[in-house]
Amino acid sequence: MAAGSGETVLELEQVHKSFGSLHVLQGIDMTITRGQVVCVLGPSGSGKSTLLRCINQLEPPNSGRILLEGKEITGKAVDDGETGGIDFVRRRIGMVFQQFNLFPHMTALGNVTVGPEKVLGRGKRECRERGEELLHRVGMSEKLGEYPDRLSGGQQQRVAIARALAMDPHVMLFDEVTSALDPELVKEVLDVMRELAAEGMTMIVVTHEIGFARDVADRVVFMDGGVIVEDGPPSQVLDNPQEERTKKFLGLVLEH
């Protein structure tokens, strides 16, 4: 378990997000330091995925501020290009989704190289070498030329992780990345994430995998009803929760 360096990478200040009359995030405050692994737990509908989507600007917040490496990435700061606009965010924050979202017409290697070529403007050869290296890193060296429909769910998710890493992100977001997988495939994806954590990658992981959170997280954040109910080290939040909502949730999850 790698602790953060103390250097702030992400700051969320009073972040609110609504969809129509549904107030999904209700004033989220959070500071994340470089190298920290933060696992976010909570029942369905608690705002966990929306939190990630606000951080990477897939869903701009209605109010509040998000700062990435000291630069505001919300509101007019992104629109007027003060920070380099949305490209600044895309180049620094990688995201892996529950559904793998691979391009079906591209091979595993093609999926990994397309971002650095098109967005970062890197040469084909450099992108290929880096893509092969990343696919090897996630245990997919044998599948470079395979298309997504020839890969298992766990293999597709590992390609998706390699694709996000190819952009050399400073922060990685994982949104329930094992929930669409058969149980026997979950471990192979979590093992890749454990390695990233051990290497010091800053990670925010929305998950129901309590064992992973206990072993890998520096912090566990429990959300419910669009607010942060508890936030602390795994030993505190998982083993000695203070709030009734946390106790009830963990009781239900740990029964299964």
Side-chain angles (χ1 to χ4, degrees):
M1 189 168 72
S5 66
E7 177 195 350
T8 297
V9 176
L10 263 176
E11 290 176 88
L12 284 73
E13 300 173 356
Q14 281 298 297
V15 171
H16 288 260
K17 180 65 182 178
S18 296
F19 298 98
S21 61
L22 189 61
H23 197 175
V24 180
L25 296 180
Q26 302 185 23
I28 300 293
D29 290 305
M30 188 185 291
T31 299
I32 291 166
T33 57
R34 194 170 303 285
Q36 234 180 15
V37 178
V38 180
C39 282
V40 184
L41 309 178
S44 295
S46 58
K48 308 181 302 293
S49 294
T50 301
L51 174 68
L52 295 190
R53 293 173 71 86
C54 284
I55 289 171
N56 78 350
Q57 296 298 297
L58 284 173
E59 299 283 359
N62 295 105
S63 63
R65 300 168 76 220
I66 300 176
L67 289 86
L68 173 60
E69 298 178 340
K71 296 182 179 179
E72 186 173 359
I73 58 170
T74 38
K76 290 181 179 175
V78 167
D79 297 337
D80 63 17
E82 275 179 27
T83 62
I86 201 70
D87 276 356
F88 176 82
V89 179
R90 295 283 173 265
R91 289 171 185 229
R92 286 163 178 77
I93 300 180
M95 184 155 177
V96 185
F97 299 86
Q98 178 177 341
Q99 302 299 340
F100 324 118
N101 292 358
L102 297 178
F103 297 116
H105 62 291
M106 291 183 179
T107 62
L109 184 59
N111 267 281
V112 173
T113 58
V114 64
E117 271 187 48
K118 303 283 191 218
V119 179
L120 303 181
R122 293 178 179 163
K124 273 187 161 39
R125 182 176 173 184
E126 179 190 352
C127 290
R128 182 181 177 87
E129 288 175 357
R130 174 80 169 134
E132 289 176 354
E133 174 195 323
L134 287 168
L135 285 167
H136 173 73
R137 181 177 175 183
V138 299
M140 292 294 292
S141 293
E142 306 297 311
K143 303 288 185 180
L144 298 180
E146 294 284 6
Y147 289 88
D149 64 358
R150 298 287 303 275
L151 301 174
S152 71
Q155 290 171 335
Q156 289 187 60
Q157 197 58 290
R158 284 184 283 155
V159 173
I161 292 172
R163 179 178 62 180
L165 290 173
M167 298 294 286
D168 297 325
H170 299 185
V171 180
M172 284 281 281
L173 310 179
F174 295 88
D175 189 11
E176 298 276 19
V177 295
T178 59
S179 62
L181 301 179
D182 293 331
E184 66 270 19
L185 302 177
V186 168
K187 182 179 182 297
E188 65 189 50
V189 174
L190 291 181
D191 283 348
V192 172
M193 294 166 65
R194 286 176 198 273
E195 286 177 23
L196 288 177
E199 290 165 11
M201 174 64 77
T202 309
M203 296 164 56
I204 306 175
V205 184
V206 169
T207 185
H208 284 295
E209 301 288 342
I210 301 294
F212 177 84
R214 190 188 304 281
D215 294 346
V216 180
D218 300 300
R219 279 166 68 192
V220 172
V221 172
F222 175 69
M223 289 183 67
D224 192 16
V227 300
I228 292 175
V229 178
E230 286 200 55
D231 180 353
S235 57
Q236 175 193 314
V237 178
L238 298 178
D239 299 330
N240 189 27
Q242 302 302 300
E243 301 292 331
E244 280 306 316
R245 281 190 282 179
T246 317
K247 292 176 186 174
K248 183 178 177 185
F249 172 79
L250 289 171
L252 290 170
V253 171
L254 294 172
E255 280 174 15
H256 288 79

